[in-house]
Amino acid sequence: MDFIARKKLAEAALSAANLSRRQMLGGTAAALAATTLFAPSVIRAQGAPVRVGIGLNYGPFNQPWRRGCWKIAQTVTEGGGEVVAVRGEPSKQSEQDAALALLDRDINVLVLGIYSLESETAFIVDEAHKRGIKTVGFCVNVKDSPAVLEDTWGAAITMGHFIQNALGRQGRIAQTAESRGFYTPFDMQSDMLSLMTTFEPRMEMLPFISGSVSSEDQISKGRENMLALLQANPEPGSIAAFMSWWWPLTIGAMQAVQQMGRSEVKLFNNFTSDQLLGEMATGNSQIEFSTDVPYHIIGEEVGRIALALGRGEQVPNISHRAPVQTILPEEAAKVHDEIRAMDDAAIAFLKPFGG
């Protein structure tokens, strides 16, 4: 059975499951729904193993990215393929350098992502295709290639509605993410939240607060930024909510809120980690709600696509999207246990590859 046929079977299974809207919005249920969607079993490669190249460019804050790389590597390995990895750091330049290096490592398939946009890697893809190397996008679109993406707009809309409901559609809010241009989905999401806010006459979005880049101490940066924001708005109630699209900045903001005794400021977060979920699970963190991206599910699908491409199967150039995971404080402890188990498994599995 080829890749397209397996995909149709998986989609039919998802339709038959008839999950309710509440289940689809729940964190664990969303992950389970995605597992159903991306459920076709891996057919082991026959003959020469498929060699899949991947850059391990995550840093200490990029735990979701690491989980995605783990699942790509595990899926390829368990499917009878071989992983060829190059270690880098979290930046566009590093992942492009890693991709170029992998072109000379006798690979059959190249995985591209997660920072560089399609236009920024087109020259790499052209060179790969000249050499007969197939390409697949991991959380980014890739020229003339299939890709598996996070639902960037879906997460922003989900977050926007939750914030508006939590505030009764009134009050001044601020938001932060990594520096503009560093990670495009954060730019898209902050723009979407700003747009949604403009349609609520009793709400006001304050100017965007830049949170540096992943190679810096972003917890300290988040604390510094939040202290400055609260000092500039000292009156109780002058800031109703603070939205952080990246978890280290949320941790820093929470520390500042506690230091300043501003318990009225509601905190909202995108992307989770061991530390973030640990804080959220205490019930005293002021983090009201978090969205997340199931990178492990994305990684599994990227791994399956890479194997299919390497075996010469016809895989359409379609961009698939993973569902949005949502986490409330009462769900944080359970998700925390799941994340810690995955992180331990990812560290152990990727160690031989330099991860």
Side-chain angles (χ1 to χ4, degrees), residues 51-57 84-88 93-107 109-112 123-124 127-128 131 133:
R51 288 170 58 85
V52 177
I54 179 173
L56 304 179
N57 300 299
V84 182
V86 170
R87 193 68 172 98
Q93 188 59 57
S94 181
E95 68 181 17
Q96 290 172 32
D97 290 343
L100 288 168
L102 286 164
L103 293 181
D104 296 321
R105 302 291 179 89
D106 190 29
I107 60 173
V109 183
L110 174 63
V111 176
L112 291 158
F123 74 103
I124 299 175
E127 182 59 29
R131 302 186 189 193
I133 299 171

PDB file of all heavy atoms in Angstrom, residues 51-57 84-88 93-107 109-112 123-124 127-128 131 133:
ATOM      1  N   ARG A  51      18.548   6.584   3.813  1.00  0.00           N
ATOM      2  CA  ARG A  51      19.359   7.444   4.684  1.00  0.00           C
ATOM      3  C   ARG A  51      18.731   8.835   4.728  1.00  0.00           C
ATOM      4  O   ARG A  51      18.592   9.500   3.696  1.00  0.00           O
ATOM      5  CB  ARG A  51      20.803   7.517   4.165  1.00  0.00           C
ATOM      6  CG  ARG A  51      21.575   6.218   4.391  1.00  0.00           C
ATOM      7  CD  ARG A  51      22.918   6.210   3.665  1.00  0.00           C
ATOM      8  NE  ARG A  51      23.791   7.312   4.068  1.00  0.00           N
ATOM      9  CZ  ARG A  51      24.597   7.295   5.128  1.00  0.00           C
ATOM     10  NH1 ARG A  51      24.620   6.231   5.915  1.00  0.00           N
ATOM     11  NH2 ARG A  51      25.368   8.333   5.406  1.00  0.00           N
ATOM     12  N   VAL A  52      18.338   9.244   5.925  1.00  0.00           N
ATOM     13  CA  VAL A  52      17.624  10.502   6.113  1.00  0.00           C
ATOM     14  C   VAL A  52      18.513  11.471   6.876  1.00  0.00           C
ATOM     15  O   VAL A  52      18.980  11.174   7.979  1.00  0.00           O
ATOM     16  CB  VAL A  52      16.313  10.276   6.893  1.00  0.00           C
ATOM     17  CG1 VAL A  52      15.610  11.618   7.157  1.00  0.00           C
ATOM     18  CG2 VAL A  52      15.394   9.325   6.131  1.00  0.00           C
ATOM     19  N   GLY A  53      18.757  12.644   6.294  1.00  0.00           N
ATOM     20  CA  GLY A  53      19.581  13.663   6.914  1.00  0.00           C
ATOM     21  C   GLY A  53      18.744  14.656   7.696  1.00  0.00           C
ATOM     22  O   GLY A  53      17.705  15.119   7.209  1.00  0.00           O
ATOM     23  N   ILE A  54      19.199  14.976   8.898  1.00  0.00           N
ATOM     24  CA  ILE A  54      18.472  15.937   9.739  1.00  0.00           C
ATOM     25  C   ILE A  54      19.460  16.752  10.557  1.00  0.00           C
ATOM     26  O   ILE A  54      20.429  16.209  11.099  1.00  0.00           O
ATOM     27  CB  ILE A  54      17.465  15.216  10.671  1.00  0.00           C
ATOM     28  CG1 ILE A  54      16.739  16.227  11.557  1.00  0.00           C
ATOM     29  CG2 ILE A  54      18.142  14.139  11.497  1.00  0.00           C
ATOM     30  CD1 ILE A  54      15.620  15.633  12.382  1.00  0.00           C
ATOM     31  N   GLY A  55      19.225  18.049  10.628  1.00  0.00           N
ATOM     32  CA  GLY A  55      20.025  18.922  11.473  1.00  0.00           C
ATOM     33  C   GLY A  55      19.443  18.993  12.874  1.00  0.00           C
ATOM     34  O   GLY A  55      18.258  19.262  13.036  1.00  0.00           O
ATOM     35  N   LEU A  56      20.274  18.732  13.875  1.00  0.00           N
ATOM     36  CA  LEU A  56      19.844  18.832  15.274  1.00  0.00           C
ATOM     37  C   LEU A  56      20.266  20.204  15.777  1.00  0.00           C
ATOM     38  O   LEU A  56      21.323  20.374  16.373  1.00  0.00           O
ATOM     39  CB  LEU A  56      20.479  17.710  16.105  1.00  0.00           C
ATOM     40  CG  LEU A  56      20.228  16.285  15.617  1.00  0.00           C
ATOM     41  CD1 LEU A  56      20.945  15.281  16.518  1.00  0.00           C
ATOM     42  CD2 LEU A  56      18.732  15.979  15.551  1.00  0.00           C
ATOM     43  N   ASN A  57      19.408  21.182  15.535  1.00  0.00           N
ATOM     44  CA  ASN A  57      19.780  22.581  15.768  1.00  0.00           C
ATOM     45  C   ASN A  57      19.126  23.203  16.996  1.00  0.00           C
ATOM     46  O   ASN A  57      19.187  24.421  17.165  1.00  0.00           O
ATOM     47  CB  ASN A  57      19.424  23.418  14.528  1.00  0.00           C
ATOM     48  CG  ASN A  57      20.134  22.939  13.289  1.00  0.00           C
ATOM     49  OD1 ASN A  57      21.354  22.946  13.226  1.00  0.00           O
ATOM     50  ND2 ASN A  57      19.375  22.482  12.306  1.00  0.00           N
ATOM     51  N   VAL A  84      21.194  10.324   9.526  1.00  0.00           N
ATOM     52  CA  VAL A  84      22.473  11.016   9.404  1.00  0.00           C
ATOM     53  C   VAL A  84      22.251  12.408   9.979  1.00  0.00           C
ATOM     54  O   VAL A  84      21.433  13.178   9.459  1.00  0.00           O
ATOM     55  CB  VAL A  84      22.944  11.102   7.944  1.00  0.00           C
ATOM     56  CG1 VAL A  84      24.302  11.775   7.867  1.00  0.00           C
ATOM     57  CG2 VAL A  84      22.971   9.714   7.311  1.00  0.00           C
ATOM     58  N   ALA A  85      22.936  12.741  11.072  1.00  0.00           N
ATOM     59  CA  ALA A  85      22.663  13.988  11.775  1.00  0.00           C
ATOM     60  C   ALA A  85      23.874  14.901  11.803  1.00  0.00           C
ATOM     61  O   ALA A  85      25.017  14.444  11.829  1.00  0.00           O
ATOM     62  CB  ALA A  85      22.212  13.697  13.208  1.00  0.00           C
ATOM     63  N   VAL A  86      23.602  16.212  11.795  1.00  0.00           N
ATOM     64  CA  VAL A  86      24.618  17.243  11.992  1.00  0.00           C
ATOM     65  C   VAL A  86      24.139  18.121  13.132  1.00  0.00           C
ATOM     66  O   VAL A  86      22.999  18.593  13.133  1.00  0.00           O
ATOM     67  CB  VAL A  86      24.831  18.091  10.716  1.00  0.00           C
ATOM     68  CG1 VAL A  86      25.695  19.301  11.013  1.00  0.00           C
ATOM     69  CG2 VAL A  86      25.453  17.249   9.616  1.00  0.00           C
ATOM     70  N   ARG A  87      24.987  18.342  14.129  1.00  0.00           N
ATOM     71  CA  ARG A  87      24.614  19.145  15.288  1.00  0.00           C
ATOM     72  C   ARG A  87      24.850  20.616  15.007  1.00  0.00           C
ATOM     73  O   ARG A  87      25.881  21.004  14.430  1.00  0.00           O
ATOM     74  CB  ARG A  87      25.444  18.731  16.512  1.00  0.00           C
ATOM     75  CG  ARG A  87      24.912  19.289  17.835  1.00  0.00           C
ATOM     76  CD  ARG A  87      23.573  18.654  18.183  1.00  0.00           C
ATOM     77  NE  ARG A  87      23.111  19.020  19.529  1.00  0.00           N
ATOM     78  CZ  ARG A  87      22.229  19.987  19.793  1.00  0.00           C
ATOM     79  NH1 ARG A  87      21.731  20.719  18.827  1.00  0.00           N
ATOM     80  NH2 ARG A  87      21.856  20.215  21.021  1.00  0.00           N
ATOM     81  N   GLY A  88      23.888  21.443  15.383  1.00  0.00           N
ATOM     82  CA  GLY A  88      24.012  22.885  15.194  1.00  0.00           C
ATOM     83  C   GLY A  88      23.426  23.622  16.372  1.00  0.00           C
ATOM     84  O   GLY A  88      23.339  23.098  17.484  1.00  0.00           O
ATOM     85  N   GLN A  93      20.749  30.453  10.161  1.00  0.00           N
ATOM     86  CA  GLN A  93      22.029  30.211   9.508  1.00  0.00           C
ATOM     87  C   GLN A  93      22.583  28.839   9.860  1.00  0.00           C
ATOM     88  O   GLN A  93      23.105  28.115   8.999  1.00  0.00           O
ATOM     89  CB  GLN A  93      23.039  31.290   9.898  1.00  0.00           C
ATOM     90  CG  GLN A  93      24.344  31.224   9.106  1.00  0.00           C
ATOM     91  CD  GLN A  93      24.128  31.369   7.614  1.00  0.00           C
ATOM     92  OE1 GLN A  93      23.559  32.360   7.161  1.00  0.00           O
ATOM     93  NE2 GLN A  93      24.539  30.375   6.836  1.00  0.00           N
ATOM     94  N   SER A  94      22.454  28.451  11.132  1.00  0.00           N
ATOM     95  CA  SER A  94      22.981  27.160  11.554  1.00  0.00           C
ATOM     96  C   SER A  94      22.238  26.017  10.881  1.00  0.00           C
ATOM     97  O   SER A  94      22.855  25.039  10.441  1.00  0.00           O
ATOM     98  CB  SER A  94      22.894  27.022  13.077  1.00  0.00           C
ATOM     99  OG  SER A  94      23.428  25.779  13.499  1.00  0.00           O
ATOM    100  N   GLU A  95      20.918  26.107  10.796  1.00  0.00           N
ATOM    101  CA  GLU A  95      20.196  25.001  10.181  1.00  0.00           C
ATOM    102  C   GLU A  95      20.441  24.948   8.673  1.00  0.00           C
ATOM    103  O   GLU A  95      20.469  23.852   8.095  1.00  0.00           O
ATOM    104  CB  GLU A  95      18.705  25.065  10.505  1.00  0.00           C
ATOM    105  CG  GLU A  95      17.929  26.191   9.900  1.00  0.00           C
ATOM    106  CD  GLU A  95      16.453  26.158  10.317  1.00  0.00           C
ATOM    107  OE1 GLU A  95      16.128  25.462  11.304  1.00  0.00           O
ATOM    108  OE2 GLU A  95      15.643  26.825   9.662  1.00  0.00           O
ATOM    109  N   GLN A  96      20.665  26.091   8.035  1.00  0.00           N
ATOM    110  CA  GLN A  96      21.016  26.065   6.612  1.00  0.00           C
ATOM    111  C   GLN A  96      22.410  25.482   6.406  1.00  0.00           C
ATOM    112  O   GLN A  96      22.644  24.709   5.466  1.00  0.00           O
ATOM    113  CB  GLN A  96      20.922  27.471   6.035  1.00  0.00           C
ATOM    114  CG  GLN A  96      19.496  27.993   5.923  1.00  0.00           C
ATOM    115  CD  GLN A  96      19.409  29.449   5.521  1.00  0.00           C
ATOM    116  OE1 GLN A  96      20.252  29.959   4.787  1.00  0.00           O
ATOM    117  NE2 GLN A  96      18.382  30.139   6.000  1.00  0.00           N
ATOM    118  N   ASP A  97      23.341  25.825   7.293  1.00  0.00           N
ATOM    119  CA  ASP A  97      24.688  25.248   7.207  1.00  0.00           C
ATOM    120  C   ASP A  97      24.637  23.741   7.402  1.00  0.00           C
ATOM    121  O   ASP A  97      25.338  22.990   6.713  1.00  0.00           O
ATOM    122  CB  ASP A  97      25.597  25.876   8.266  1.00  0.00           C
ATOM    123  CG  ASP A  97      25.926  27.334   7.974  1.00  0.00           C
ATOM    124  OD1 ASP A  97      25.727  27.769   6.826  1.00  0.00           O
ATOM    125  OD2 ASP A  97      26.377  28.037   8.906  1.00  0.00           O
ATOM    126  N   ALA A  98      23.816  23.285   8.345  1.00  0.00           N
ATOM    127  CA  ALA A  98      23.691  21.845   8.592  1.00  0.00           C
ATOM    128  C   ALA A  98      23.108  21.139   7.375  1.00  0.00           C
ATOM    129  O   ALA A  98      23.569  20.057   6.985  1.00  0.00           O
ATOM    130  CB  ALA A  98      22.810  21.604   9.823  1.00  0.00           C
ATOM    131  N   ALA A  99      22.092  21.757   6.758  1.00  0.00           N
ATOM    132  CA  ALA A  99      21.473  21.149   5.581  1.00  0.00           C
ATOM    133  C   ALA A  99      22.469  21.034   4.432  1.00  0.00           C
ATOM    134  O   ALA A  99      22.527  20.002   3.745  1.00  0.00           O
ATOM    135  CB  ALA A  99      20.264  21.970   5.155  1.00  0.00           C
ATOM    136  N   LEU A 100      23.258  22.072   4.225  1.00  0.00           N
ATOM    137  CA  LEU A 100      24.264  22.024   3.160  1.00  0.00           C
ATOM    138  C   LEU A 100      25.306  20.951   3.441  1.00  0.00           C
ATOM    139  O   LEU A 100      25.747  20.239   2.517  1.00  0.00           O
ATOM    140  CB  LEU A 100      24.940  23.393   3.019  1.00  0.00           C
ATOM    141  CG  LEU A 100      24.073  24.495   2.405  1.00  0.00           C
ATOM    142  CD1 LEU A 100      24.736  25.860   2.574  1.00  0.00           C
ATOM    143  CD2 LEU A 100      23.808  24.214   0.924  1.00  0.00           C
ATOM    144  N   ALA A 101      25.702  20.809   4.686  1.00  0.00           N
ATOM    145  CA  ALA A 101      26.679  19.774   5.041  1.00  0.00           C
ATOM    146  C   ALA A 101      26.106  18.384   4.797  1.00  0.00           C
ATOM    147  O   ALA A 101      26.819  17.465   4.359  1.00  0.00           O
ATOM    148  CB  ALA A 101      27.098  19.931   6.503  1.00  0.00           C
ATOM    149  N   LEU A 102      24.816  18.213   5.060  1.00  0.00           N
ATOM    150  CA  LEU A 102      24.194  16.902   4.897  1.00  0.00           C
ATOM    151  C   LEU A 102      24.108  16.477   3.434  1.00  0.00           C
ATOM    152  O   LEU A 102      24.051  15.273   3.140  1.00  0.00           O
ATOM    153  CB  LEU A 102      22.793  16.917   5.522  1.00  0.00           C
ATOM    154  CG  LEU A 102      22.762  16.896   7.052  1.00  0.00           C
ATOM    155  CD1 LEU A 102      21.390  17.306   7.566  1.00  0.00           C
ATOM    156  CD2 LEU A 102      23.137  15.507   7.565  1.00  0.00           C
ATOM    157  N   LEU A 103      24.084  17.430   2.524  1.00  0.00           N
ATOM    158  CA  LEU A 103      24.023  17.080   1.097  1.00  0.00           C
ATOM    159  C   LEU A 103      25.218  16.235   0.670  1.00  0.00           C
ATOM    160  O   LEU A 103      25.130  15.482  -0.310  1.00  0.00           O
ATOM    161  CB  LEU A 103      23.957  18.345   0.240  1.00  0.00           C
ATOM    162  CG  LEU A 103      22.692  19.199   0.360  1.00  0.00           C
ATOM    163  CD1 LEU A 103      22.776  20.397  -0.578  1.00  0.00           C
ATOM    164  CD2 LEU A 103      21.438  18.383   0.065  1.00  0.00           C
ATOM    165  N   ASP A 104      26.328  16.337   1.393  1.00  0.00           N
ATOM    166  CA  ASP A 104      27.540  15.584   1.047  1.00  0.00           C
ATOM    167  C   ASP A 104      27.697  14.325   1.896  1.00  0.00           C
ATOM    168  O   ASP A 104      28.787  13.737   1.937  1.00  0.00           O
ATOM    169  CB  ASP A 104      28.777  16.477   1.234  1.00  0.00           C
ATOM    170  CG  ASP A 104      28.780  17.667   0.284  1.00  0.00           C
ATOM    171  OD1 ASP A 104      28.370  17.481  -0.878  1.00  0.00           O
ATOM    172  OD2 ASP A 104      29.180  18.770   0.709  1.00  0.00           O
ATOM    173  N   ARG A 105      26.637  13.904   2.581  1.00  0.00           N
ATOM    174  CA  ARG A 105      26.722  12.740   3.479  1.00  0.00           C
ATOM    175  C   ARG A 105      26.007  11.511   2.911  1.00  0.00           C
ATOM    176  O   ARG A 105      25.611  10.626   3.660  1.00  0.00           O
ATOM    177  CB  ARG A 105      26.141  13.096   4.843  1.00  0.00           C
ATOM    178  CG  ARG A 105      26.807  14.277   5.545  1.00  0.00           C
ATOM    179  CD  ARG A 105      28.209  13.985   5.993  1.00  0.00           C
ATOM    180  NE  ARG A 105      28.829  15.127   6.644  1.00  0.00           N
ATOM    181  CZ  ARG A 105      28.753  15.372   7.945  1.00  0.00           C
ATOM    182  NH1 ARG A 105      28.081  14.552   8.734  1.00  0.00           N
ATOM    183  NH2 ARG A 105      29.348  16.439   8.463  1.00  0.00           N
ATOM    184  N   ASP A 106      25.859  11.436   1.613  1.00  0.00           N
ATOM    185  CA  ASP A 106      25.278  10.254   0.967  1.00  0.00           C
ATOM    186  C   ASP A 106      23.887   9.942   1.507  1.00  0.00           C
ATOM    187  O   ASP A 106      23.571   8.813   1.885  1.00  0.00           O
ATOM    188  CB  ASP A 106      26.195   9.033   1.144  1.00  0.00           C
ATOM    189  CG  ASP A 106      25.761   7.841   0.285  1.00  0.00           C
ATOM    190  OD1 ASP A 106      25.164   8.074  -0.780  1.00  0.00           O
ATOM    191  OD2 ASP A 106      25.996   6.681   0.711  1.00  0.00           O
ATOM    192  N   ILE A 107      23.028  10.966   1.539  1.00  0.00           N
ATOM    193  CA  ILE A 107      21.669  10.771   2.035  1.00  0.00           C
ATOM    194  C   ILE A 107      20.695  10.644   0.870  1.00  0.00           C
ATOM    195  O   ILE A 107      20.982  11.051  -0.255  1.00  0.00           O
ATOM    196  CB  ILE A 107      21.229  11.933   2.945  1.00  0.00           C
ATOM    197  CG1 ILE A 107      21.264  13.267   2.180  1.00  0.00           C
ATOM    198  CG2 ILE A 107      22.090  11.983   4.197  1.00  0.00           C
ATOM    199  CD1 ILE A 107      20.688  14.444   2.970  1.00  0.00           C
ATOM    200  N   VAL A 109      17.205  11.428   1.631  1.00  0.00           N
ATOM    201  CA  VAL A 109      16.159  12.393   1.969  1.00  0.00           C
ATOM    202  C   VAL A 109      16.744  13.417   2.942  1.00  0.00           C
ATOM    203  O   VAL A 109      17.484  13.056   3.857  1.00  0.00           O
ATOM    204  CB  VAL A 109      14.936  11.704   2.620  1.00  0.00           C
ATOM    205  CG1 VAL A 109      13.832  12.720   2.897  1.00  0.00           C
ATOM    206  CG2 VAL A 109      14.420  10.571   1.747  1.00  0.00           C
ATOM    207  N   LEU A 110      16.377  14.681   2.734  1.00  0.00           N
ATOM    208  CA  LEU A 110      16.826  15.756   3.612  1.00  0.00           C
ATOM    209  C   LEU A 110      15.618  16.378   4.305  1.00  0.00           C
ATOM    210  O   LEU A 110      14.656  16.786   3.655  1.00  0.00           O
ATOM    211  CB  LEU A 110      17.558  16.826   2.806  1.00  0.00           C
ATOM    212  CG  LEU A 110      17.984  18.102   3.560  1.00  0.00           C
ATOM    213  CD1 LEU A 110      18.993  17.769   4.655  1.00  0.00           C
ATOM    214  CD2 LEU A 110      18.554  19.135   2.587  1.00  0.00           C
ATOM    215  N   VAL A 111      15.673  16.455   5.638  1.00  0.00           N
ATOM    216  CA  VAL A 111      14.632  17.123   6.427  1.00  0.00           C
ATOM    217  C   VAL A 111      15.057  18.564   6.655  1.00  0.00           C
ATOM    218  O   VAL A 111      16.166  18.828   7.134  1.00  0.00           O
ATOM    219  CB  VAL A 111      14.434  16.422   7.787  1.00  0.00           C
ATOM    220  CG1 VAL A 111      13.406  17.187   8.631  1.00  0.00           C
ATOM    221  CG2 VAL A 111      13.996  14.975   7.582  1.00  0.00           C
ATOM    222  N   LEU A 112      14.180  19.507   6.320  1.00  0.00           N
ATOM    223  CA  LEU A 112      14.473  20.928   6.468  1.00  0.00           C
ATOM    224  C   LEU A 112      13.523  21.562   7.478  1.00  0.00           C
ATOM    225  O   LEU A 112      12.318  21.319   7.461  1.00  0.00           O
ATOM    226  CB  LEU A 112      14.342  21.647   5.127  1.00  0.00           C
ATOM    227  CG  LEU A 112      15.423  21.294   4.088  1.00  0.00           C
ATOM    228  CD1 LEU A 112      14.937  21.607   2.690  1.00  0.00           C
ATOM    229  CD2 LEU A 112      16.695  22.056   4.386  1.00  0.00           C
ATOM    230  N   PHE A 123      17.366  27.429  -2.535  1.00  0.00           N
ATOM    231  CA  PHE A 123      18.627  27.093  -3.202  1.00  0.00           C
ATOM    232  C   PHE A 123      19.173  25.756  -2.711  1.00  0.00           C
ATOM    233  O   PHE A 123      19.803  25.010  -3.472  1.00  0.00           O
ATOM    234  CB  PHE A 123      19.663  28.206  -2.990  1.00  0.00           C
ATOM    235  CG  PHE A 123      20.262  28.267  -1.615  1.00  0.00           C
ATOM    236  CD1 PHE A 123      21.540  27.778  -1.377  1.00  0.00           C
ATOM    237  CD2 PHE A 123      19.553  28.822  -0.554  1.00  0.00           C
ATOM    238  CE1 PHE A 123      22.095  27.837  -0.095  1.00  0.00           C
ATOM    239  CE2 PHE A 123      20.113  28.883   0.719  1.00  0.00           C
ATOM    240  CZ  PHE A 123      21.378  28.390   0.952  1.00  0.00           C
ATOM    241  N   ILE A 124      18.910  25.417  -1.442  1.00  0.00           N
ATOM    242  CA  ILE A 124      19.339  24.119  -0.912  1.00  0.00           C
ATOM    243  C   ILE A 124      18.502  23.006  -1.529  1.00  0.00           C
ATOM    244  O   ILE A 124      19.027  21.948  -1.921  1.00  0.00           O
ATOM    245  CB  ILE A 124      19.218  24.099   0.621  1.00  0.00           C
ATOM    246  CG1 ILE A 124      20.105  25.174   1.235  1.00  0.00           C
ATOM    247  CG2 ILE A 124      19.585  22.723   1.176  1.00  0.00           C
ATOM    248  CD1 ILE A 124      19.962  25.318   2.745  1.00  0.00           C
ATOM    249  N   GLU A 127      19.537  22.272  -5.118  1.00  0.00           N
ATOM    250  CA  GLU A 127      20.772  21.487  -5.163  1.00  0.00           C
ATOM    251  C   GLU A 127      20.506  20.042  -4.762  1.00  0.00           C
ATOM    252  O   GLU A 127      21.057  19.106  -5.366  1.00  0.00           O
ATOM    253  CB  GLU A 127      21.823  22.106  -4.242  1.00  0.00           C
ATOM    254  CG  GLU A 127      23.166  21.394  -4.245  1.00  0.00           C
ATOM    255  CD  GLU A 127      23.823  21.343  -5.608  1.00  0.00           C
ATOM    256  OE1 GLU A 127      23.594  22.262  -6.435  1.00  0.00           O
ATOM    257  OE2 GLU A 127      24.558  20.371  -5.866  1.00  0.00           O
ATOM    258  N   ALA A 128      19.656  19.853  -3.733  1.00  0.00           N
ATOM    259  CA  ALA A 128      19.323  18.492  -3.309  1.00  0.00           C
ATOM    260  C   ALA A 128      18.644  17.722  -4.432  1.00  0.00           C
ATOM    261  O   ALA A 128      19.010  16.565  -4.724  1.00  0.00           O
ATOM    262  CB  ALA A 128      18.420  18.542  -2.070  1.00  0.00           C
ATOM    263  N   ARG A 131      20.783  16.395  -7.111  1.00  0.00           N
ATOM    264  CA  ARG A 131      21.544  15.217  -6.696  1.00  0.00           C
ATOM    265  C   ARG A 131      20.658  14.001  -6.461  1.00  0.00           C
ATOM    266  O   ARG A 131      21.134  12.954  -6.020  1.00  0.00           O
ATOM    267  CB  ARG A 131      22.319  15.519  -5.416  1.00  0.00           C
ATOM    268  CG  ARG A 131      23.282  16.679  -5.524  1.00  0.00           C
ATOM    269  CD  ARG A 131      24.100  16.813  -4.252  1.00  0.00           C
ATOM    270  NE  ARG A 131      24.897  18.035  -4.223  1.00  0.00           N
ATOM    271  CZ  ARG A 131      25.877  18.261  -3.356  1.00  0.00           C
ATOM    272  NH1 ARG A 131      26.186  17.337  -2.458  1.00  0.00           N
ATOM    273  NH2 ARG A 131      26.549  19.394  -3.375  1.00  0.00           N
ATOM    274  N   ILE A 133      18.221  13.865  -4.232  1.00  0.00           N
ATOM    275  CA  ILE A 133      17.861  13.804  -2.818  1.00  0.00           C
ATOM    276  C   ILE A 133      16.470  14.423  -2.643  1.00  0.00           C
ATOM    277  O   ILE A 133      16.233  15.563  -3.045  1.00  0.00           O
ATOM    278  CB  ILE A 133      18.885  14.563  -1.952  1.00  0.00           C
ATOM    279  CG1 ILE A 133      20.285  13.940  -2.101  1.00  0.00           C
ATOM    280  CG2 ILE A 133      18.459  14.595  -0.498  1.00  0.00           C
ATOM    281  CD1 ILE A 133      21.390  14.763  -1.459  1.00  0.00           C
TER     282      ILE A 133
END
